[in-house]
Amino acid sequence: MSNLTATAVANANLAFVKYWGKRDDALRLPTNNSISMTLSAAQTRTKLIFESALDADHVYLAPENRLASPGFTARVSAHLDRFRDLAGIRRYAEIRTMNTFPAGVGIASSASGFAALTLAASAALNLHLSERQLTVLARLGSGSACRSIPSGWVEWVAGEDSESSFAYSFAGPDHWPIRVLSVIVAQEEKQISSTDGHALTRRSPFFSARLETLPARLEAVRRAILERDFVTFGQEIEQEALSLHMVAMTSPLETGGAWQSGAYYWTPATLELLLAVQQWRRDGVPVYFTLDAGPTVHLVCPESAVGDVRSAVAGLQARQPGRAWQVLENQPAPGASLVASPA
Ligand code: DP6
């Protein structure tokens, strides 16, 4: 058998209408459609080799080349099984994967990770899958990963079953020069994973209220993107992010043996930024925020306002000495792709 290897890159994506709650946990079928932008500054690169000599899958995290945890390796192996079944082979793989950004801080590394793994596995095994099929497979690894396969502005259709729950690009990366400044205010891994957060949603009395608002919001956000209507877009996405956190913060759970009233993903710096954004708009800066399941605040603005937003963030950061915030500047990016010469 020829050399079964491929290297793929995929970027993380930022949802403006969020995936929060599943209809089917095993198939990762979401309760609602979601809309995202692929992020240029947050990329995963994954090299995969299926080798007959291996007795298990080995996942190495570059650049340190340390072995991944058993839990993560098991999730990767379960994903590779889908491709081994399709190709009818039983070889294990060596996987080397690297992120250009920190994990667990509100930028979904599972999205870029499982998208890159999906494309690399499909190419290494010569499966010749369509983009839609790739998004379906990526979704089974991590829901949001399906939105990291297509390019630019992407919608994930909730669907009825596995085959009809897929993602597609409705506008390319050059459609609208929006910038996202992702302000990483804390580097620690969050306490409650997205996967756990999804499972908690039904405990919130506000989850059904959120679902009722979503069809109209989805239409409004898609239309605002297509018409490049920044004000409507900004107002909708800011309310949408708060709607997710309203559900999260009112989904009770047990942590460390004690009852907790909800999943809190914010730090004090998160709230400080959310309030500052309101002031910056009063000062005439066109900027809105969105948040995922983490403390990172994503500041969304037109390309022309990047300088103002950058200095506003620097001013806020300087107010308290010792703050080590990291800012990633993103623009809409292409979808997942293969790398011709493996590193
Ligand atoms: C808050 O895709 O990480 O980022 O399917 O369990 O792997 P799993 O969840 P994941 O959830 C992402 C949630 C979110 C919102 C979003 O990206 O739409």
Side-chain angles (χ1 to χ4, degrees), residues 27-29 135-143 146 156 161-162 165:
L27 291 177
R28 292 190 146 81
L29 295 178
T135 72
V136 167
L137 280 159
R139 190 204 75 234
L140 292 165
S142 175
C146 70
W156 171 11
D161 54 16
S162 194
S165 188

Side-chain angles (χ1 to χ4, degrees), residues 13-20 22 28 34-35 75 106 108 110-111 114 139 141-145 147 156 190 194-196 198 244 291-294:
N13 66 80
L14 175 64
F16 296 118
V17 178
K18 312 282 181 182
Y19 154 49
W20 199 239
K22 294 176 193 169
R28 292 190 146 81
S34 52
I35 286 180
R75 197 168 162 186
S110 65
F114 278 95
R139 190 204 75 234
S142 175
S144 56
R147 296 188 313 241
W156 171 11
K190 61 198 179 201
S194 298
T195 302
D196 291 343
H198 287 290
L244 181 155
L291 305 150
D292 276 347

Side-chain angles (χ1 to χ4, degrees), residues 121-164:
S122 138
L125 298 176
N126 290 310
L127 290 174
H128 303 293
L129 300 172
S130 66
E131 181 180 280
R132 176 171 165 160
Q133 288 171 315
L134 288 170
T135 72
V136 167
L137 280 159
R139 190 204 75 234
L140 292 165
S142 175
S144 56
C146 70
R147 296 188 313 241
S148 279
I149 298 279
S151 195
W153 302 86
V154 175
E155 178 166 4
W156 171 11
V157 179
E160 299 295 320
D161 54 16
S162 194
E163 288 311 303
S164 58

Side-chain angles (χ1 to χ4, degrees), residues 11-315:
N11 288 22
N13 66 80
L14 175 64
F16 296 118
V17 178
K18 312 282 181 182
Y19 154 49
W20 199 239
K22 294 176 193 169
R23 266 192 312 118
D24 185 315
D25 288 343
L27 291 177
R28 292 190 146 81
L29 295 178
T31 41
N32 57 273
N33 289 27
S34 52
I35 286 180
S36 64
M37 182 188 110
T38 310
L39 297 173
S40 62
Q43 191 173 74
T44 300
R45 179 190 179 102
T46 299
K47 180 179 181 185
L48 185 74
I49 310 175
F50 288 96
E51 281 180 24
S52 48
L54 294 173
D55 56 359
D57 293 319
H58 298 290
V59 184
Y60 297 93
L61 308 176
E64 309 90 359
N65 283 328
R66 69 186 156 86
L67 265 179
S69 69
F72 184 73
T73 303
R75 197 168 162 186
V76 167
S77 277
H79 196 55
L80 290 182
D81 283 344
R82 300 182 175 109
F83 296 87
R84 284 187 277 249
D85 288 351
L86 283 172
I89 67 145
R90 296 270 28 109
R91 283 191 195 184
Y92 290 109
E94 184 184 285
I95 302 110
R96 293 187 183 272
T97 189
M98 187 171 103
N99 288 339
T100 63
F101 58 103
V105 293
I107 297 179
S109 58
S110 65
S112 51
F114 278 95
L117 185 66
T118 296
L119 184 59
S122 138
L125 298 176
N126 290 310
L127 290 174
H128 303 293
L129 300 172
S130 66
E131 181 180 280
R132 176 171 165 160
Q133 288 171 315
L134 288 170
T135 72
V136 167
L137 280 159
R139 190 204 75 234
L140 292 165
S142 175
S144 56
C146 70
R147 296 188 313 241
S148 279
I149 298 279
S151 195
W153 302 86
V154 175
E155 178 166 4
W156 171 11
V157 179
E160 299 295 320
D161 54 16
S162 194
E163 288 311 303
S164 58
S165 188
F166 68 101
Y168 70 98
S169 168
F170 63 90
D174 298 331
H175 166 70
W176 198 17
I178 287 295
R179 296 294 177 264
V180 174
L181 276 68
S182 300
V183 186
I184 301 166
V185 296
Q187 301 278 350
E188 306 88 55
E189 292 249 357
K190 61 198 179 201
Q191 283 183 329
I192 301 157
S193 70
S194 298
T195 302
D196 291 343
H198 287 290
L200 294 170
T201 49
R202 283 175 202 285
R203 299 184 182 183
S204 167
F206 301 110
F207 185 52
S208 54
R210 165 171 165 73
L211 294 183
E212 276 169 35
T213 64
L214 280 178
R217 174 152 292 145
L218 191 84
E219 293 306 313
V221 169
R222 195 194 307 103
R223 190 174 333 111
I225 293 168
L226 288 171
E227 295 175 358
R228 303 182 187 90
D229 173 354
F230 183 67
V231 171
T232 305
F233 177 66
Q235 292 179 359
E236 290 287 342
I237 68 167
E238 208 165 293
Q239 292 180 85
E240 163 59 3
L242 292 174
S243 152
L244 181 155
H245 285 271
M246 173 190 69
V247 170
M249 288 192 223
T250 52
S251 304
L253 65 149
E254 292 270 324
T255 50
W259 182 83
Q260 185 172 316
S261 49
Y264 297 92
Y265 290 109
W266 299 2
T267 66
T270 309
L271 181 57
E272 207 178 325
L273 273 155
L274 306 194
L275 296 176
V277 168
Q278 316 305 310
Q279 180 58 45
W280 297 338
R281 276 202 301 272
R282 284 192 290 272
D283 296 341
V285 183
V287 58
Y288 294 85
F289 68 75
T290 185
L291 305 150
D292 276 347
T296 297
V297 180
H298 302 277
L299 301 172
V300 183
C301 67
E303 186 181 24
S304 54
V306 165
D308 286 346
V309 175
R310 210 185 282 140
S311 34
V313 172

